């Protein structure tokens, strides 16, 4: 077996957000590295494809501008972040109802107090949840008693109507968990981030995030289309059979891949699945940059948006892009059957115009997020050291978010820096 002895101090396996942030932190401390990435571009699960001039993120994703780690590594002005309006439009009983954020759109919020989605008391309970999530530090909230999200909402005495018609599709779309079994600590984190920031899209698509992270990494330190099939202390075996060596190895991959390559990592292999259907239209079904939620709980659609209402760069001039998210169906009905069910529901919501929308592509993602079922965050940050000279990072080591992935990469690099200084 041919062996390549690298002159770098560290091999990083994976050029997703965690691997790139690990590399950036090492770079700031003058520690040499090489990144091995199996795909043809950086980003991991944060990728954007261009299809007929449309920018299709691989699954509906947003960037919360309040994530603390963003400002450490990213120039947000260069990303040209475009924000959704705060609130949501809920489909219920054959009608659409708008729920506004009272802290950002107070006049609209007054009218939304008297909808069929929840009571006035429910709106006050949202204020209580917001206040709780903002109290103290992030670390304080991660020490709160852990229960399921649903249990936490019920403890706050939200009505079943408010839970089922708004909170379940809204939070279920974030956690990819319609049953709301996700840890209440994740609920507090997400509510905190939404309360102090905005849900945004980079003008050029979500892949602009990893591309900016990688833009200051020397090209010779990033090797694409290099799959890894085995690791051991000080050595990595590539799919070609070649072995590359370096004193330290960072495994910056998703949970199932980490567990396959390094069983000692005890990585969370349980994931949340999702399907995302993209359609092109000559004009949008509505003009606002707002998220639409299925409050009926019937049919496959959980949430829908028009990315071109947020950033016109997501489509060719004059065209509209529609994104539809369906939960927990990757192992169920076929894509063709589900797409027809989605189409029928779209026609029910928006009439005959939906029949003219052209199906561009479907993304069926079996492992979109690590499963955060309670008590997944009993230990909010899992260890990044996993044996002599081996480190692990990814959103399965922190919370399942862009923030969690980026923080975990920095933590792995800091562990290396500490070990090198001993």
């Amino acid at each position: 077996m041919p062996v390549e002895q690298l002159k770098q101090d560290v091999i990083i396996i994976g050029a997703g957000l965690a691997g790139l942030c690990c590399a950036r932190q090492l770079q700031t401390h003058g520690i040499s590295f090489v990144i091995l990435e199996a795909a043809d571009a950086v980003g991991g699960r944060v990728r954007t494809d261009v299809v007929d001039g449309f920018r299709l993120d691989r699954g509906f994703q947003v960037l919360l501008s309040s994530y603390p780690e963003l400002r450490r590594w990213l120039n947000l002005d260069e990303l040209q972040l475009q924000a959704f309006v705060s609130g949501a439009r809920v489909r219920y009983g054959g009608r659409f109802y708008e729920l506004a954020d009272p802290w950002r759109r107070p006049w609209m919020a007054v009218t939304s107090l008297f909808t069929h989605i929840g009571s006035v008391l429910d709106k006050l309970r949202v204020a209580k949840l917001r206040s709780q999530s903002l109290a103290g530090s992030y670390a304080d909230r991660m020490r709160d008693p852990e229960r399921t999200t649903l249990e936490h909402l019920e403890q706050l005495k939200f009505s079943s109507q408010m839970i089922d018609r708004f909170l379940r599709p809204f939070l279920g779309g974030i956690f990819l968990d319609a049953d709301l079994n996700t840890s209440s600590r994740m609920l507090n984190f997400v509510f905190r981030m939404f309360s102090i920031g905005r849900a945004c899209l980079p003008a050029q698509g979500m892949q602009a995030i990893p591309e900016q992270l990688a833009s200051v990494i020397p090209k010779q330190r990033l090797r694409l289309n290099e799959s890894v099939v085995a690791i051991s202390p000080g050595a990595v075996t590539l799919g070609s059979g070649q072995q590359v060596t370096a004193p330290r190895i960072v495994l910056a991959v998703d949970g199932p891949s980490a567990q396959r390559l390094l069983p000692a990592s005890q990585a969370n292999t349980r994931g949340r699945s999702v399907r995302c259907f993209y359609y092109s239209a000559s004009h949008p079904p509505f003009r606002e940059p707002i998220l639409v939620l299925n409050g009926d709980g019937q049919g496959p659609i959980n949430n829908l948006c028009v990315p071109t209402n947020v950033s016109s760069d997501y489509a060719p001039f004059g065209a509209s892009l529609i994104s539809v998210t369906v939960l927990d169906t990757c192992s169920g009905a076929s894509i063709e059957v589900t797409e027809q069910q989605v189409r029928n529901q779209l026609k029910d919501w928006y009439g005959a115009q939906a029949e003219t929308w052209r199906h561009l592509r479907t993304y069926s993602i079996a492992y979109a997020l690590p499963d955060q079922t309670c008590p997944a965050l009993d230990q909010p940050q899992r260890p990044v050291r996993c044996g002599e000279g081996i480190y692990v990072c990814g959103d399965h080591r922190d919370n399942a978010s862009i923030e969690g992935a980026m923080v975990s990469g920095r933590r792995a690099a800091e562990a290396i820096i500490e070990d090198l200084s001993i």
Side-chain angles (χ1 to χ4, degrees), residues 223-244:
R223 291 166 52 168
L224 302 175
N225 300 301
E226 290 276 24
S227 63
V228 172
V229 296
I231 67 171
S232 59
V236 168
T237 304
L238 305 179
S240 63
Q242 182 182 18
Q243 192 175 76
V244 294

Side-chain angles (χ1 to χ4, degrees), residues 133 135-144 185 189 192 380-381:
S133 70
S137 66
Y138 165 71
D140 292 334
R141 299 288 63 77
M142 283 293 166
R143 288 190 288 265
D144 285 340
R185 292 178 175 178
F189 169 72
R192 186 185 185 96
Q381 291 188 324

Side-chain angles (χ1 to χ4, degrees), residues 46-102:
V46 184
R47 293 284 303 272
T48 303
D49 298 316
V50 178
V51 177
D52 297 340
F54 293 86
R55 298 183 189 277
L56 309 184
D57 295 327
R58 295 188 183 179
F60 173 59
Q61 305 174 52
V62 298
L63 181 67
L64 297 185
S65 62
S66 50
Y67 283 151
E69 200 72 6
L70 298 184
R71 286 164 178 79
R72 184 186 295 268
W73 302 119
L74 294 170
N75 184 324
L76 299 185
D77 290 338
E78 287 185 2
L79 288 177
Q80 302 176 62
L81 295 182
Q82 310 295 309
F84 286 83
V85 299
S86 299
R89 183 168 295 160
V90 181
R91 177 74 176 186
Y92 175 73
R95 293 181 56 190
F96 290 104
Y97 299 90
E98 193 151 333
L99 295 184
D101 183 335

Side-chain angles (χ1 to χ4, degrees), residues 281-308:
S282 58
H283 60 274
F286 52 87
R287 295 288 178 180
E288 300 82 0
I290 196 167
L291 184 68
V292 180
L293 303 174
N294 180 358
D296 285 313
Q298 302 297 316
I301 298 175
N302 183 79
N303 56 275
L304 172 152
C305 75
V306 180
T308 41

Side-chain angles (χ1 to χ4, degrees), residues 42 51 88 114 173 265 381:
V42 300
V51 177
F114 305 101
S265 68
Q381 291 188 324

Side-chain angles (χ1 to χ4, degrees), residues 11-278:
I11 295 173
I12 301 172
I13 302 168
L17 299 184
L20 292 171
C21 286
C22 179
R24 291 284 299 272
Q25 182 75 350
L26 293 175
Q27 188 166 283
T28 62
H29 285 76
I31 298 172
S32 63
F33 60 85
V34 64
I35 305 174
L36 305 178
E37 168 57 49
D40 59 357
V42 300
R45 280 168 281 151
V46 184
R47 293 284 303 272
T48 303
D49 298 316
V50 178
V51 177
D52 297 340
F54 293 86
R55 298 183 189 277
L56 309 184
D57 295 327
R58 295 188 183 179
F60 173 59
Q61 305 174 52
V62 298
L63 181 67
L64 297 185
S65 62
S66 50
Y67 283 151
E69 200 72 6
L70 298 184
R71 286 164 178 79
R72 184 186 295 268
W73 302 119
L74 294 170
N75 184 324
L76 299 185
D77 290 338
E78 287 185 2
L79 288 177
Q80 302 176 62
L81 295 182
Q82 310 295 309
F84 286 83
V85 299
S86 299
R89 183 168 295 160
V90 181
R91 177 74 176 186
Y92 175 73
R95 293 181 56 190
F96 290 104
Y97 299 90
E98 193 151 333
L99 295 184
D101 183 335
W103 291 271
R104 294 198 173 100
R105 295 194 292 162
W107 295 110
M108 180 67 73
V110 171
T111 64
S112 71
L113 283 173
F114 305 101
T115 68
H116 294 279
I117 305 306
S119 68
V120 174
L121 286 176
D122 282 319
K123 310 307 191 295
L124 296 176
R125 290 169 186 132
V126 170
K128 183 177 181 180
L129 176 57
R130 182 180 189 272
S131 177
Q132 287 182 350
S133 70
L134 289 173
S137 66
Y138 165 71
D140 292 334
R141 299 288 63 77
M142 283 293 166
R143 288 190 288 265
D144 285 340
E146 191 176 17
R147 54 182 68 90
T148 70
T149 287
L150 181 59
E151 288 169 344
H152 193 68
L153 297 175
E154 290 173 341
Q155 186 179 69
L156 290 171
K157 301 190 183 304
F158 281 103
S159 69
S160 59
Q161 290 85 357
M162 184 66 169
I163 291 174
D164 291 337
R165 297 172 191 176
F166 172 64
L167 292 169
R168 189 181 300 278
F170 177 65
L171 295 171
I174 296 169
F175 302 147
L176 307 184
D177 170 22
D179 295 326
L180 301 183
N181 288 322
T182 295
S183 168
S184 58
R185 292 178 175 178
M186 193 66 188
L187 168 66
N188 278 330
F189 169 72
V190 164
F191 238 81
R192 186 185 185 96
M193 294 299 100
F194 272 103
S195 297
I196 60 179
R198 305 289 293 273
C200 302
L201 295 176
Q204 302 295 310
M206 290 294 288
Q207 193 168 341
I209 301 168
E211 286 179 348
Q212 189 185 117
L213 286 171
S215 64
V216 297
I217 295 174
K219 287 183 170 50
Q220 67 271 21
R221 292 192 175 183
L222 176 61
R223 291 166 52 168
L224 302 175
N225 300 301
E226 290 276 24
S227 63
V228 172
V229 296
I231 67 171
S232 59
V236 168
T237 304
L238 305 179
S240 63
Q242 182 182 18
Q243 192 175 76
V244 294
T245 64
R248 285 171 172 79
I249 297 167
V250 178
L251 198 54
V253 295
D254 62 28
S257 299
Q259 186 64 19
R260 174 175 53 82
L261 289 168
L262 186 66
S265 68
Q266 298 182 330
N268 180 7
T269 61
R270 300 185 307 277
R272 291 288 178 180
S273 62
V274 68
R275 279 182 180 166
C276 183
F277 296 82
Y278 283 108

